[in-house]
Amino acid sequence: MKLNQTLASLIGFAVTLQFTTAANLTGKVTLGGNAPAEKEITPLKDDATCGKLLGGAAPMTKFFVVGANKELADVIVVVKGLEGKSTGAAAAPAVMDQKGCIYSPQILAVQTGQKISVKNSDPVMHNVHTVPVASGNKEENKGQGPGAPDLTFSIPTAENFVKFKCDVHPWMFAWVTVVDHPYFAITGKDGSFTIKDVPPGKYKVVAMHRKGAPTGVEKEIEVKADGATSDFVIEVK
Ligand SMILES: [Cu+2]
């Protein structure tokens, strides 16, 4: 009897577990065609202070992070139609660093109202100047000397690829996409993404690369109780 009860509760637990961990939307993004060559950031190389921080590394742009089999990183994949579900400031802060007079990462995605913590790991003065365009998002510009505390930003309205720049170093850019819910992901170096715990349903899902079509590539996807898989091909220029 006892064994049966234990078994029954174990099976119940397994079923619950399956439902709570299910509904992940996964997939892979690959590059269609070819990507332009990266360019040398000559002013960084020639900068008296920042140039020394390179440690021999080539000061190249990193617009197109493409794997051996055309896996495309830095693609933001967003489920549409779930707006208004942002967890805002309750979400763990996203972190961006300034290291070697370059932003890391250069492509980031956050929820509306989520904190973005910006570090300065350089022995150099930077300033972080945000240039949003959506109404409701305001431009900000904060200086940050060497060893200064982290800066905190938070962007209230959804907007794709909000520009972050440094006015001291005109090659420094990062692009922060702001989504009004947590159902998004950024592809890694293997081109893959996982959007966790999507409520089952039919959705439009968009995959966007900053150097791709501004509207991204959109697909209709049904997320069932056991999740869904969808792959994208993106062209860039
Ligand atoms: Cu700077």
Side-chain angles (χ1 to χ4, degrees), residues 54-133:
L54 290 166
M60 303 298 288
T61 56
K62 287 184 184 135
F63 296 143
F64 312 105
V65 180
V66 185
N69 296 305
K70 299 221 160 187
E71 304 92 340
L72 187 59
D74 290 337
V75 175
I76 296 161
V77 185
V78 180
V79 179
K80 290 183 151 187
L82 291 166
E83 288 73 17
K85 294 186 188 295
S86 174
T87 61
V95 178
M96 197 155 73
D97 196 6
Q98 299 162 105
K99 198 166 185 189
C101 299
I102 293 272
Y103 287 109
S104 176
Q106 292 171 28
I107 298 288
L108 197 64
V110 296
Q111 298 185 61
T112 50
Q114 183 177 358
K115 288 180 179 162
I116 305 160
S117 185
V118 182
K119 297 179 174 302
N120 181 3
S121 295
D122 286 334
V124 171
M125 171 82 187
H126 292 293
N127 76 306
V128 183
H129 186 172
T130 68
V131 194
V133 296

Coordinates of all heavy atoms in Angstrom, one line a residue, residues 54-133:
L54 N 44.4 46.8 -25.5 CA 44.0 45.8 -26.4 C 44.9 44.5 -26.1 O 44.4 43.4 -26.4 CB 44.2 46.2 -27.8 CG 43.2 47.2 -28.4 CD1 43.8 47.8 -29.7 CD2 41.9 46.6 -28.6
G55 N 46.1 44.7 -25.6 CA 46.9 43.6 -25.3 C 47.3 42.7 -26.5 O 47.3 41.5 -26.4
G56 N 47.4 43.4 -27.6 CA 47.8 42.7 -28.8 C 46.6 42.2 -29.7 O 46.7 41.8 -30.8
A57 N 45.4 42.3 -29.1 CA 44.2 41.8 -29.8 C 43.9 42.8 -30.9 O 44.1 44.0 -30.8 CB 43.0 41.7 -28.9
A58 N 43.4 42.3 -32.0 CA 43.0 43.1 -33.2 C 41.7 43.9 -32.8 O 40.8 43.3 -32.3 CB 42.8 42.3 -34.4
P59 N 41.8 45.2 -33.0 CA 40.6 46.0 -32.7 C 39.5 46.0 -33.8 O 39.4 46.9 -34.6 CB 41.2 47.4 -32.6 CG 42.4 47.4 -33.5 CD 42.9 46.0 -33.6
M60 N 38.8 44.8 -33.9 CA 37.9 44.6 -35.0 C 36.4 44.8 -34.5 O 36.1 44.5 -33.3 CB 38.0 43.2 -35.5 CG 39.4 42.9 -36.0 SD 40.0 43.9 -37.4 CE 38.9 43.2 -38.7
T61 N 35.6 45.2 -35.4 CA 34.1 45.2 -35.1 C 33.7 43.7 -34.9 O 34.4 42.8 -35.4 CB 33.3 45.8 -36.3 OG1 33.7 45.1 -37.5 CG2 33.6 47.3 -36.5
K62 N 32.6 43.5 -34.2 CA 32.1 42.2 -34.0 C 30.6 42.2 -34.3 O 29.8 41.8 -33.5 CB 32.3 41.7 -32.6 CG 33.8 41.4 -32.3 CD 34.0 40.9 -30.9 CE 35.5 40.7 -30.7 NZ 36.0 41.3 -29.4
F63 N 30.3 42.6 -35.5 CA 28.9 42.7 -35.9 C 28.3 41.4 -36.3 O 27.1 41.1 -36.1 CB 28.7 43.6 -37.2 CG 29.1 45.1 -37.0 CD1 29.8 45.8 -38.0 CD2 28.8 45.7 -35.8 CE1 30.1 47.1 -37.8 CE2 29.2 47.0 -35.6 CZ 29.8 47.7 -36.6
F64 N 29.2 40.5 -36.8 CA 28.7 39.2 -37.3 C 29.4 38.1 -36.6 O 30.6 37.8 -37.0 CB 28.8 39.1 -38.8 CG 28.4 40.4 -39.5 CD1 29.2 41.3 -40.0 CD2 27.0 40.6 -39.7 CE1 28.8 42.5 -40.7 CE2 26.5 41.8 -40.3 CZ 27.4 42.7 -40.8
V65 N 28.8 37.4 -35.7 CA 29.4 36.3 -35.0 C 28.9 35.0 -35.6 O 27.7 34.6 -35.3 CB 29.2 36.4 -33.5 CG1 29.9 35.2 -32.8 CG2 29.7 37.7 -32.9
V66 N 29.6 34.5 -36.5 CA 29.1 33.4 -37.3 C 30.0 32.1 -37.1 O 31.2 32.2 -37.2 CB 29.2 33.7 -38.9 CG1 28.5 32.6 -39.7 CG2 28.5 35.1 -39.1
G67 N 29.4 31.0 -36.9 CA 30.1 29.7 -36.7 C 30.5 29.0 -38.0 O 30.1 29.5 -39.1
A68 N 31.2 27.9 -37.8 CA 31.7 27.2 -39.0 C 30.6 26.7 -39.9 O 30.8 26.5 -41.1 CB 32.5 26.0 -38.5
N69 N 29.4 26.4 -39.3 CA 28.3 26.0 -40.1 C 27.2 27.0 -40.2 O 26.0 26.8 -40.2 CB 27.7 24.7 -39.5 CG 28.7 23.5 -39.6 OD1 29.2 23.2 -40.7 ND2 29.0 22.9 -38.5
K70 N 27.7 28.3 -40.2 CA 26.8 29.5 -40.4 C 25.9 29.7 -39.2 O 24.8 30.4 -39.3 CB 26.0 29.4 -41.7 CG 26.9 29.3 -42.9 CD 26.3 30.1 -44.0 CE 27.4 30.5 -45.0 NZ 27.0 31.4 -46.1
E71 N 26.2 29.1 -38.0 CA 25.4 29.4 -36.8 C 25.6 30.9 -36.6 O 26.7 31.5 -36.6 CB 25.9 28.7 -35.6 CG 25.9 27.2 -35.8 CD 27.3 26.6 -36.4 OE1 28.0 27.4 -37.0 OE2 27.5 25.4 -36.2
L72 N 24.4 31.6 -36.3 CA 24.5 33.1 -36.1 C 24.2 33.5 -34.7 O 23.1 33.2 -34.2 CB 23.5 33.7 -37.1 CG 23.5 35.3 -37.2 CD1 24.9 35.8 -37.6 CD2 22.5 35.7 -38.2
A73 N 25.1 34.1 -34.0 CA 25.0 34.6 -32.7 C 24.4 36.0 -32.7 O 24.3 36.6 -33.7 CB 26.3 34.6 -31.9
D74 N 24.0 36.5 -31.5 CA 23.5 37.8 -31.3 C 22.2 38.1 -32.0 O 21.9 39.3 -32.4 CB 24.6 38.9 -31.7 CG 25.7 38.9 -30.7 OD1 25.6 38.4 -29.6 OD2 26.8 39.3 -31.1
V75 N 21.4 37.1 -32.3 CA 20.1 37.2 -32.8 C 19.1 37.2 -31.7 O 19.1 36.4 -30.8 CB 19.7 36.1 -33.8 CG1 18.3 36.3 -34.3 CG2 20.7 36.2 -35.0
I76 N 18.2 38.2 -31.7 CA 17.2 38.3 -30.6 C 15.9 37.7 -31.1 O 15.4 38.1 -32.2 CB 17.0 39.8 -30.2 CG1 18.3 40.3 -29.6 CG2 15.9 39.9 -29.2 CD1 18.5 41.7 -29.6
V77 N 15.4 36.7 -30.4 CA 14.2 36.0 -30.8 C 13.1 36.3 -29.8 O 13.3 36.2 -28.6 CB 14.4 34.4 -30.8 CG1 13.2 33.7 -31.3 CG2 15.7 34.1 -31.7
V78 N 12.0 36.9 -30.3 CA 11.0 37.4 -29.4 C 9.6 36.7 -29.7 O 9.2 36.7 -30.9 CB 10.9 38.9 -29.5 CG1 9.8 39.4 -28.5 CG2 12.2 39.6 -29.2
V79 N 8.9 36.3 -28.7 CA 7.5 35.8 -28.9 C 6.6 37.0 -28.9 O 6.7 37.8 -28.0 CB 7.1 34.8 -27.8 CG1 5.7 34.3 -28.0 CG2 8.1 33.6 -27.8
K80 N 5.8 37.2 -29.9 CA 4.9 38.3 -30.0 C 3.6 38.0 -29.3 O 3.2 36.8 -29.3 CB 4.6 38.8 -31.4 CG 5.9 39.4 -32.0 CD 5.5 39.9 -33.5 CE 6.4 41.0 -33.9 NZ 5.9 41.6 -35.2
G81 N 2.9 39.0 -28.8 CA 1.5 38.8 -28.3 C 1.5 38.5 -26.8 O 0.4 38.2 -26.3
L82 N 2.6 38.7 -26.1 CA 2.6 38.5 -24.6 C 2.9 39.8 -23.9 O 3.3 39.7 -22.7 CB 3.6 37.3 -24.3 CG 3.1 35.9 -24.8 CD1 4.3 35.0 -24.7 CD2 2.0 35.4 -23.9
E83 N 2.7 40.9 -24.6 CA 3.1 42.2 -24.0 C 2.3 42.4 -22.7 O 1.2 41.9 -22.5 CB 2.8 43.3 -25.0 CG 3.8 43.3 -26.2 CD 3.6 42.2 -27.2 OE1 2.5 41.6 -27.2 OE2 4.6 42.0 -28.0
G84 N 2.9 43.2 -21.8 CA 2.3 43.5 -20.6 C 2.7 42.5 -19.4 O 2.2 42.7 -18.3
K85 N 3.5 41.6 -19.8 CA 3.9 40.6 -18.7 C 5.3 40.7 -18.2 O 5.9 39.8 -17.7 CB 3.7 39.1 -19.3 CG 2.3 38.8 -19.7 CD 2.2 37.3 -20.1 CE 0.8 37.0 -20.6 NZ -0.2 37.1 -19.6
S86 N 5.8 41.9 -18.4 CA 7.2 42.2 -17.9 C 7.3 42.0 -16.4 O 6.4 42.5 -15.7 CB 7.7 43.6 -18.3 OG 8.9 43.9 -17.7
T87 N 8.4 41.4 -16.0 CA 8.6 41.4 -14.5 C 9.5 42.5 -14.0 O 9.8 42.7 -12.9 CB 9.3 40.0 -14.1 OG1 10.5 39.9 -14.7 CG2 8.4 38.8 -14.5
G88 N 9.8 43.4 -15.0 CA 10.4 44.7 -14.7 C 11.6 44.7 -13.7 O 12.5 43.8 -13.8
A89 N 11.6 45.6 -12.7 CA 12.7 45.7 -11.8 C 12.9 44.5 -10.9 O 13.9 44.3 -10.3 CB 12.5 46.9 -10.9
A90 N 11.9 43.6 -10.9 CA 12.0 42.3 -10.1 C 13.0 41.3 -10.8 O 13.5 40.4 -10.1 CB 10.7 41.7 -9.9
A91 N 13.2 41.5 -12.1 CA 14.1 40.6 -12.8 C 15.5 40.9 -12.4 O 15.9 42.0 -12.0 CB 13.9 40.8 -14.3
A92 N 16.4 39.9 -12.4 CA 17.8 40.1 -12.1 C 18.4 41.1 -13.1 O 18.1 41.1 -14.3 CB 18.6 38.8 -12.2
P93 N 19.2 42.1 -12.6 CA 19.7 43.1 -13.6 C 20.6 42.4 -14.7 O 21.3 41.5 -14.5 CB 20.6 43.9 -12.7 CG 20.2 43.7 -11.3 CD 19.6 42.3 -11.3
A94 N 20.4 43.0 -15.9 CA 21.3 42.7 -17.0 C 22.6 43.4 -16.8 O 22.6 44.5 -16.2 CB 20.7 43.0 -18.3
V95 N 23.7 42.8 -17.1 CA 25.0 43.5 -16.9 C 25.8 43.7 -18.2 O 25.9 42.8 -19.1 CB 25.9 42.6 -15.9 CG1 27.3 43.2 -15.7 CG2 25.2 42.4 -14.6
M96 N 26.3 44.9 -18.3 CA 27.1 45.3 -19.4 C 28.4 45.8 -18.9 O 28.4 46.6 -17.9 CB 26.4 46.3 -20.3 CG 26.9 46.5 -21.6 SD 25.6 47.1 -22.7 CE 25.5 48.8 -22.2
D97 N 29.5 45.5 -19.5 CA 30.8 46.0 -19.0 C 31.5 46.8 -20.1 O 31.2 46.7 -21.3 CB 31.7 44.8 -18.7 CG 32.9 45.2 -17.9 OD1 33.0 46.4 -17.4 OD2 33.8 44.3 -17.6
Q98 N 32.3 47.8 -19.7 CA 33.2 48.5 -20.6 C 34.6 48.0 -20.3 O 35.1 48.3 -19.2 CB 33.0 50.0 -20.4 CG 31.6 50.5 -20.6 CD 31.3 51.8 -20.0 OE1 31.3 52.8 -20.7 NE2 31.2 51.8 -18.7
K99 N 35.2 47.3 -21.3 CA 36.5 46.7 -21.0 C 37.3 46.8 -22.3 O 36.8 46.3 -23.4 CB 36.3 45.2 -20.6 CG 37.5 44.6 -20.0 CD 37.2 43.3 -19.3 CE 38.4 42.8 -18.6 NZ 38.3 41.5 -18.1
G100 N 38.5 47.4 -22.2 CA 39.3 47.6 -23.4 C 38.6 48.6 -24.3 O 38.8 48.5 -25.5
C101 N 37.8 49.5 -23.7 CA 37.1 50.6 -24.5 C 36.2 50.0 -25.5 O 36.1 50.5 -26.7 CB 38.1 51.5 -25.1 SG 39.1 52.4 -23.9
I102 N 35.6 48.9 -25.2 CA 34.5 48.2 -26.0 C 33.4 47.7 -25.0 O 33.7 47.4 -23.9 CB 35.2 46.9 -26.6 CG1 36.2 47.3 -27.7 CG2 34.1 46.0 -27.2 CD1 35.8 47.5 -29.1
Y103 N 32.2 47.8 -25.5 CA 31.1 47.2 -24.6 C 31.1 45.7 -24.7 O 31.3 45.2 -25.8 CB 29.8 47.8 -25.1 CG 29.5 49.2 -24.8 CD1 29.5 50.2 -25.8 CD2 29.2 49.6 -23.5 CE1 29.2 51.5 -25.5 CE2 29.0 50.9 -23.1 CZ 29.0 51.9 -24.2 OH 28.7 53.2 -23.9
S104 N 30.8 45.1 -23.6 CA 30.6 43.6 -23.6 C 29.5 43.3 -22.7 O 29.5 43.5 -21.5 CB 31.9 43.0 -23.1 OG 31.8 41.6 -23.0
P105 N 28.4 42.7 -23.2 CA 28.2 42.4 -24.7 C 27.8 43.7 -25.4 O 27.4 44.7 -24.8 CB 27.0 41.4 -24.6 CG 26.2 41.8 -23.4 CD 27.2 42.3 -22.4
Q106 N 27.9 43.6 -26.7 CA 27.4 44.7 -27.6 C 26.0 44.6 -28.0 O 25.4 45.5 -28.4 CB 28.3 44.8 -28.8 CG 29.8 45.2 -28.5 CD 30.8 45.1 -29.6 OE1 30.4 45.2 -30.8 NE2 32.0 44.8 -29.3
I107 N 25.5 43.3 -27.8 CA 24.0 43.1 -28.1 C 23.4 42.5 -26.8 O 23.9 41.5 -26.3 CB 23.8 42.1 -29.3 CG1 24.4 42.7 -30.6 CG2 22.4 41.8 -29.5 CD1 23.7 43.9 -31.2
L108 N 22.4 43.2 -26.4 CA 21.7 42.8 -25.1 C 20.2 42.9 -25.3 O 19.7 43.7 -26.1 CB 22.2 43.8 -24.1 CG 22.1 43.4 -22.6 CD1 22.9 42.2 -22.2 CD2 22.5 44.6 -21.7
A109 N 19.5 42.1 -24.5 CA 18.0 42.2 -24.5 C 17.6 42.2 -23.1 O 18.0 41.4 -22.3 CB 17.4 41.2 -25.3
V110 N 16.6 43.1 -22.8 CA 16.1 43.2 -21.4 C 14.6 43.3 -21.5 O 14.0 43.6 -22.5 CB 16.7 44.4 -20.6 CG1 18.2 44.2 -20.4 CG2 16.4 45.7 -21.3
Q111 N 14.0 43.2 -20.3 CA 12.5 43.5 -20.2 C 12.4 45.0 -19.9 O 13.2 45.7 -19.4 CB 11.9 42.8 -19.1 CG 12.0 41.3 -19.2 CD 11.2 40.6 -18.1 OE1 10.0 40.7 -18.0 NE2 11.9 39.8 -17.4
T112 N 11.2 45.5 -20.2 CA 10.8 46.9 -19.9 C 11.0 47.0 -18.3 O 10.5 46.2 -17.6 CB 9.4 47.3 -20.3 OG1 8.5 46.2 -19.8 CG2 9.2 47.4 -21.8
G113 N 11.7 48.1 -17.9 CA 11.8 48.3 -16.5 C 12.9 47.5 -15.8 O 13.2 47.7 -14.6
Q114 N 13.5 46.5 -16.5 CA 14.5 45.7 -15.9 C 15.8 46.6 -15.7 O 16.1 47.4 -16.6 CB 14.8 44.5 -16.8 CG 15.9 43.6 -16.2 CD 16.1 42.4 -17.1 OE1 15.5 42.2 -18.1 NE2 17.1 41.5 -16.7
K115 N 16.5 46.4 -14.6 CA 17.7 47.2 -14.4 C 18.8 46.7 -15.4 O 19.0 45.5 -15.5 CB 18.2 47.1 -13.0 CG 17.2 47.9 -12.1 CD 17.7 47.8 -10.6 CE 16.7 48.6 -9.8 NZ 16.8 48.3 -8.4
I116 N 19.6 47.7 -15.9 CA 20.8 47.4 -16.7 C 21.9 48.0 -15.9 O 22.0 49.2 -15.7 CB 20.7 48.0 -18.1 CG1 19.4 47.6 -18.8 CG2 21.9 47.7 -18.9 CD1 19.0 48.5 -20.0
S117 N 22.8 47.1 -15.5 CA 23.9 47.6 -14.7 C 25.2 47.7 -15.6 O 25.5 46.7 -16.2 CB 24.1 46.5 -13.6 OG 25.1 47.0 -12.7
V118 N 25.8 48.9 -15.6 CA 26.9 49.1 -16.5 C 28.2 49.3 -15.7 O 28.2 50.2 -14.9 CB 26.7 50.3 -17.5 CG1 27.8 50.5 -18.4 CG2 25.4 50.1 -18.3
K119 N 29.2 48.5 -15.9 CA 30.4 48.5 -15.2 C 31.5 49.2 -16.1 O 31.4 49.3 -17.3 CB 31.0 47.1 -15.0 CG 30.1 46.2 -14.1 CD 30.7 44.8 -14.0 CE 29.9 44.0 -13.0 NZ 29.8 44.6 -11.7
N120 N 32.5 49.8 -15.4 CA 33.6 50.3 -16.0 C 34.9 49.6 -15.5 O 35.3 49.8 -14.4 CB 33.8 51.8 -15.8 CG 35.0 52.4 -16.6 OD1 35.7 51.7 -17.3 ND2 35.3 53.7 -16.4
S121 N 35.4 48.6 -16.3 CA 36.5 47.8 -15.9 C 37.8 48.5 -16.4 O 38.9 47.9 -16.2 CB 36.4 46.4 -16.4 OG 35.4 45.7 -15.8
D122 N 37.7 49.6 -17.0 CA 38.9 50.3 -17.6 C 39.5 51.4 -16.7 O 38.7 52.0 -16.0 CB 38.5 51.0 -19.0 CG 38.2 50.0 -20.1 OD1 38.8 48.9 -20.0 OD2 37.5 50.3 -21.0
P123 N 40.8 51.6 -16.8 CA 41.4 52.7 -16.1 C 41.2 54.0 -16.9 O 42.1 54.8 -17.1 CB 42.9 52.3 -16.1 CG 43.0 51.5 -17.3 CD 41.7 50.8 -17.6
V124 N 40.0 54.2 -17.4 CA 39.7 55.3 -18.4 C 38.3 55.8 -18.1 O 37.4 55.1 -17.7 CB 39.7 54.6 -19.8 CG1 39.2 55.6 -20.9 CG2 41.1 54.1 -20.2
M125 N 38.2 57.1 -18.3 CA 36.8 57.7 -18.2 C 36.0 57.4 -19.4 O 36.4 57.5 -20.5 CB 37.0 59.3 -18.2 CG 35.8 60.1 -18.2 SD 35.0 60.2 -16.6 CE 33.5 61.0 -17.0
H126 N 34.8 56.8 -19.1 CA 33.8 56.6 -20.1 C 32.5 57.4 -19.8 O 32.4 57.9 -18.6 CB 33.3 55.2 -20.2 CG 34.4 54.2 -20.7 ND1 34.9 54.2 -22.0 CD2 35.1 53.2 -20.0 CE1 35.8 53.3 -22.1 NE2 35.9 52.7 -20.9
N127 N 31.6 57.6 -20.7 CA 30.3 58.0 -20.4 C 29.3 57.1 -21.1 O 29.6 56.6 -22.2 CB 30.0 59.5 -20.7 CG 29.8 59.8 -22.1 OD1 30.7 59.4 -23.0 ND2 28.7 60.4 -22.5
V128 N 28.1 56.9 -20.5 CA 27.2 56.0 -21.2 C 26.0 56.9 -21.6 O 25.3 57.5 -20.7 CB 26.7 54.9 -20.2 CG1 25.8 54.0 -20.9 CG2 28.0 54.1 -19.7
H129 N 25.8 57.0 -22.9 CA 24.8 57.9 -23.5 C 23.8 57.0 -24.2 O 24.2 56.4 -25.2 CB 25.6 58.9 -24.4 CG 24.7 59.9 -25.0 ND1 25.3 61.0 -25.7 CD2 23.4 60.2 -24.9 CE1 24.3 61.8 -26.1 NE2 23.1 61.3 -25.7
T130 N 22.6 57.0 -23.7 CA 21.6 56.2 -24.4 C 20.8 57.1 -25.3 O 20.5 58.2 -25.0 CB 20.6 55.5 -23.3 OG1 19.8 56.6 -22.7 CG2 21.4 54.8 -22.3
V131 N 20.4 56.5 -26.5 CA 19.7 57.3 -27.5 C 18.5 56.5 -28.0 O 18.5 56.0 -29.1 CB 20.7 57.6 -28.7 CG1 20.1 58.7 -29.5 CG2 22.1 58.1 -28.2
P132 N 17.5 56.4 -27.1 CA 16.3 55.7 -27.6 C 15.5 56.6 -28.5 O 15.7 57.8 -28.6 CB 15.5 55.5 -26.3 CG 16.0 56.5 -25.4 CD 17.4 56.9 -25.7
V133 N 14.6 56.0 -29.3 CA 13.7 56.8 -30.2 C 12.2 56.6 -29.9 O 11.4 57.5 -30.3 CB 14.0 56.5 -31.7 CG1 15.4 56.9 -32.1 CG2 13.8 55.0 -32.0

